[in-house]
Amino acid sequence: MLHYRFQNSIRKMTYNRDFLKKKILLEGSQLKKLNTDTLYLEKLAREKFYMKKEDEDLFIVSRKNKKNKKLTSHMNE
């Protein structure tokens, strides 16, 4: 039983290690792109942080999720 627990723990740690390695590579490439590509930086600032230029108006359009709609309809019943 103890051997099974250790094997399971090793599998989970290996999965987490591989996941984090991929995430580090992705974050590194995004950081490099942010430092070199000003258009990407501007796009990211506009989309994620809702930044705008002085002479622009900002409109935020949100979509309702069908799952949330079903949940709220069941809650009201």
Side-chain angles (χ1 to χ4, degrees), residues 46-62:
R46 289 172 178 271
E47 290 177 359
K48 297 232 179 196
F49 302 109
Y50 305 113
M51 298 178 113
K52 64 182 187 81
K53 293 181 180 178
E54 292 268 336
D55 60 339
E56 292 180 331
D57 293 326
L58 180 65
F59 296 96
I60 300 173
V61 179
S62 65

Side-chain angles (χ1 to χ4, degrees), residues 13-60:
M13 285 186 220
T14 304
Y15 174 79
N16 287 336
R17 181 197 66 200
D18 294 341
F19 172 77
L20 291 173
K21 280 183 178 181
K22 289 177 186 176
K23 191 169 181 175
I24 287 170
L25 287 173
L26 179 66
E27 295 291 328
S29 67
Q30 286 180 344
L31 179 62
K32 185 177 179 181
K33 194 172 182 180
L34 279 172
N35 287 328
T36 58
D37 189 359
T38 56
L39 293 175
Y40 180 72
L41 179 63
E42 184 177 342
K43 178 184 174 196
L44 186 70
R46 289 172 178 271
E47 290 177 359
K48 297 232 179 196
F49 302 109
Y50 305 113
M51 298 178 113
K52 64 182 187 81
K53 293 181 180 178
E54 292 268 336
D55 60 339
E56 292 180 331
D57 293 326
L58 180 65
F59 296 96
I60 300 173

